[in-house]
């Protein structure tokens, strides 16, 4: 675990489905999302290298299907596996359980239901109603949508770091916080990395966003906070802009 959180790898070849699951698990206090796989071979590689506590595994994947992934993982290296089935029969479900699946869930299923079953599989007593999804602060999905509207690409590592940064600022009810002494170390602990990598990844994400975004769109989004003559904001300014915007959206 990372700081008492269940580490999670999500394996799904459908980008939109995978992103919805990532949005759901990102920011939940019980989980730390550490990897995403687009095919079965990548899922095996990530499990072996990252040793997550939980693998959310789609049964139909390129290169290696769900059953093949389970077969490639030795019992000692296999995490809890929440398997998402495209079709189900008693024989098929039993076969998956015999080969190492912890829990099988029939698709289609909303990300909230997957998260509920993940809490159950991981032994967390809190439900979504009593856990992180029930906070008064904006949801991880709302933060993710604002990041996308700001031009931050979802595939960048800095995108996930920014989501955690905004979530932290909002949940701590602070207008600002020390980036170097407080925020970067906090996010680094969540993701099992170094604070300087968090700082660089966030800075890169902002540079990419400012390079692709239309300044008029940003001014409509953030109002007078955006000043074209000053160029791109610092990491702390950008996090504060996002947090202030979301506080205004909740309060309105």
């Amino acid at each position: 675990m990372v700081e008492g959180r269940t580490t999670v790898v999500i394996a799904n070849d459908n980008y939109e489905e995978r992103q919805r699951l990532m949005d759901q698990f990102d920011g939940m206090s019980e989980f730390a999302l550490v990897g995403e796989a687009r095919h079965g071979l990548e899922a095996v590689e990530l499990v072996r290298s990252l040793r997550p506590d939980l693998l959310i595994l789609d049964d139909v994947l390129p290169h290696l299907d769900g059953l093949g992934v389970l077969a490639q993982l030795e019992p000692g290296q296999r995490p809890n596996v929440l398997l998402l089935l495209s079709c189900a029969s008693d024989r098929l479900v039993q076969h998956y359980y015999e080969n190492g699946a912890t829990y099988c869930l029939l698709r289609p299923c909303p990300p909230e239901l997957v998260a509920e079953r993940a809490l159950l599989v991981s032994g967390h007593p809190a439900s979504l109603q009593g856990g992180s999804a029930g906070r008064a602060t904006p949801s991880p999905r709302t933060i993710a949508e604002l990041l996308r509207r700001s031009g931050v690409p979802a595939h960048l590592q800095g995108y996930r770091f920014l989501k955690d940064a905004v979530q932290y600022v909002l949940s701590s009810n602070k207008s600002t916080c020390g980036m170097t002494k407080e925020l970067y170390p906090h996010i680094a602990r969540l993701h099992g990395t170094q604070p300087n990598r968090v700082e660089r990844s966030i800075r890169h994400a902002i540079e990419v966003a400012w390079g692709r975004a239309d300044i008029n769109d940003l001014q409509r989004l953030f109002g007078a906070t955006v000043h074209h003559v000053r160029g791109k904001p610092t990491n702390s300014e950008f996090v504060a802009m996002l947090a202030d915007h979301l506080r205004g959206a909740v309060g309105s």
Side-chain angles (χ1 to χ4, degrees):
M1 290 192 178
V2 177
E3 287 275 302
R5 304 170 79 182
T6 298
T7 53
V8 181
V9 166
I10 294 174
N12 191 309
D13 68 316
N14 184 291
Y15 173 80
E16 292 185 356
E17 289 183 11
R18 188 172 71 250
Q19 193 62 53
R20 283 195 293 270
L21 286 170
M22 290 169 60
D23 287 347
Q24 178 66 47
F25 282 87
D26 258 351
M28 289 182 68
S29 62
E30 299 88 354
F31 299 103
L33 183 61
V34 296
E36 55 177 303
R38 293 157 293 185
H39 55 76
L41 293 176
E42 189 175 25
V44 172
E45 180 182 343
L46 286 178
V47 169
R48 287 174 175 170
S49 61
L50 299 176
R51 304 301 297 267
D53 303 308
L54 175 65
L55 171 63
I56 299 176
L57 178 64
D58 194 68
D59 66 331
V60 180
L61 291 170
H63 306 311
L64 195 65
D65 64 8
L67 197 59
V69 171
L70 293 175
Q72 289 285 322
L73 297 173
E74 298 294 331
Q77 62 185 188
R78 187 186 299 141
N80 284 325
V81 178
L82 175 53
L83 191 73
L84 305 183
L85 289 169
S86 298
C87 60
S89 67
D90 291 343
R91 177 176 294 183
L92 180 62
V93 171
Q94 185 62 34
H95 197 48
Y96 271 112
Y97 281 133
E98 289 173 353
N99 284 272
T102 311
Y103 193 100
C104 293
L105 190 60
L106 185 62
R107 300 170 57 206
C109 47
E112 295 82 4
L113 180 58
V114 177
E116 285 184 4
R117 297 300 184 266
L119 288 169
L120 175 67
V121 167
S122 303
H124 291 289
S127 67
L128 289 180
Q129 287 74 25
S132 57
R135 296 172 183 161
T137 55
S139 69
R141 183 168 296 182
T142 302
I143 298 172
E145 177 60 28
L146 180 59
L147 280 170
R148 294 195 195 99
R149 290 173 61 196
S150 304
V152 181
H155 69 273
L156 295 181
Q157 182 69 59
Y159 169 88
R160 288 200 284 275
F161 291 163
L162 277 167
K163 283 177 65 177
D164 283 340
V166 174
Q167 186 79 33
Y168 179 78
V169 171
L170 290 170
S171 62
S172 61
N173 292 319
K174 297 179 179 179
S175 57
T176 60
C177 64
M179 300 292 284
T180 302
K181 292 185 178 180
E182 183 178 355
L183 192 57
Y184 296 150
H186 169 74
I187 297 173
R189 287 192 297 271
L190 292 182
H191 292 269
T193 187
Q194 298 298 316
N196 60 352
R197 184 182 176 190
V198 174
E199 187 275 332
R200 289 196 304 269
S201 297
I202 289 178
R203 174 157 36 90
H204 174 63
I206 294 171
E207 289 171 352
V208 172
W210 235 247
R212 67 190 296 204
D214 184 286
I215 192 65
N216 293 321
D217 291 338
L218 291 172
Q219 286 178 329
R220 282 192 291 270
L221 187 60
F222 295 112
T225 311
V226 176
H227 300 288
H228 184 50
V229 294
R230 296 180 56 204
K232 67 180 182 298
T234 65
N235 290 5
S236 59
E237 286 173 335
F238 191 64
V239 170
M241 283 166 51
L242 295 168
D244 288 345
H245 178 85
L246 289 165
R247 284 193 188 98
V250 170
S252 60

